[in-house]
């Protein structure tokens, strides 16, 4: 294999999660909570009482694991079509794993029959969501001391994302 082929193959493997699990809060709580605590509470200084809420029990959750089995990314799909609590540990950022979690949650919304998904994006992540077809709406607002903007994605059709 030539050098460029090796790098490309290696990069592809690095961006593929060893496992991507989708399920209920009861099954994924421990791993999803650990990621969210690291990213939101420790890194972004969101108060723990704002990070955790009663909606978790009603959501579809996704958790991605690296090759060593460590949970590295998570997100949730609420019953009303909102995607939230998207978090990727620092060690896995830039690998594409967050996009895979997002795409799996979008797929779950489609399978459920949702007509669109909506999210509250941290302003620094607007470009990430735009790459997956989300469009920003309205003004920037503060949530948990962090600038956010509402974004939406209609789910009419099978347009490829990412």
């Amino acid at each position: 294999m030539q050098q460029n082929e090796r790098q490309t193959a290696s990069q592809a493997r690095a961006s593929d999660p060893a496992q991507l699990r989708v399920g209920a809060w009861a099954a994924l709580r421990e791993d999803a909570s650990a990621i969210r605590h690291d990213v939101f509470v420790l890194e972004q200084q969101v108060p723990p009482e704002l990070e955790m809420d009663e909606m978790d029990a009603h959501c579809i959750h996704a958790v991605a694991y690296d090759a060593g089995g460590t949970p590295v990314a998570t997100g949730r799909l609420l019953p009303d079509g909102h995607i939230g609590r998207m978090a990727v540990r620092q060690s896995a950022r830039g690998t594409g794993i967050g996009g895979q979690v997002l795409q799996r949650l979008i797929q779950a919304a489609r399978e459920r029959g949702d007509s669109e998904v909506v999210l509250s994006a941290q302003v620094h992540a607007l470009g990430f969501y735009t790459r997956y077809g989300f469009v920003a709406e309205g003004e920037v607002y503060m949530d948990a001391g962090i600038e956010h903007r509402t974004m939406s994605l209609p789910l009419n059709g099978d347009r490829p994302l990412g």
Side-chain angles (χ1 to χ4, degrees), residues 6-47:
R6 275 195 302 272
Q7 286 176 337
T8 302
S10 156
Q11 289 167 344
R13 280 191 302 274
S15 68
D16 290 339
Q19 184 179 21
L20 180 57
R21 293 180 57 201
V22 176
W25 185 239
L28 298 173
R29 170 193 314 230
E30 184 177 337
D31 293 339
S33 294
I35 297 164
R36 287 165 47 179
H37 181 79
D38 285 356
V39 173
F40 297 127
V41 177
L42 298 180
E43 185 181 328
Q44 296 182 349
Q45 302 298 304
V46 172

Side-chain angles (χ1 to χ4, degrees), residues 93-160:
R93 290 185 193 148
T95 66
I97 200 128
Q100 292 176 38
V101 168
L102 179 63
Q103 288 178 347
R104 185 57 189 92
L105 292 171
I106 293 168
Q107 179 185 343
R110 274 198 176 106
E111 290 168 356
R112 189 170 67 185
D114 295 354
S115 61
E116 82 172 339
V117 287
V118 178
L119 54 82
S120 180
Q122 292 185 8
V123 169
H124 73 84
L126 290 172
F128 167 77
Y129 294 111
T130 299
R131 286 194 298 274
Y132 292 92
F134 283 84
V135 175
E137 304 170 349
E139 300 298 319
V140 171
Y141 58 92
M142 297 299 285
D143 186 10
I146 301 168
E147 291 185 324
H148 285 73
R149 193 156 178 211
T150 300
M151 299 186 84
S152 66
L153 174 72
L155 299 180
N156 52 0
D158 294 324
R159 164 172 61 121

Side-chain angles (χ1 to χ4, degrees), residues 25-91:
W25 185 239
L28 298 173
R29 170 193 314 230
E30 184 177 337
D31 293 339
S33 294
I35 297 164
R36 287 165 47 179
H37 181 79
D38 285 356
V39 173
F40 297 127
V41 177
L42 298 180
E43 185 181 328
Q44 296 182 349
Q45 302 298 304
V46 172
E49 61 274 11
L50 294 180
E51 197 320 271
M52 301 305 289
D53 65 25
E54 71 285 347
M55 290 307 299
D56 280 320
H58 308 285
C59 294
I60 297 169
H61 294 267
V63 176
Y65 301 81
D66 67 14
T70 301
V72 293
T74 191
R76 72 181 188 180
L77 175 65
L78 285 92
D80 67 359
H82 278 73
I83 290 175
R85 302 305 198 270
M86 288 286 302
V88 178
R89 285 187 163 139
Q90 281 184 328
S91 62

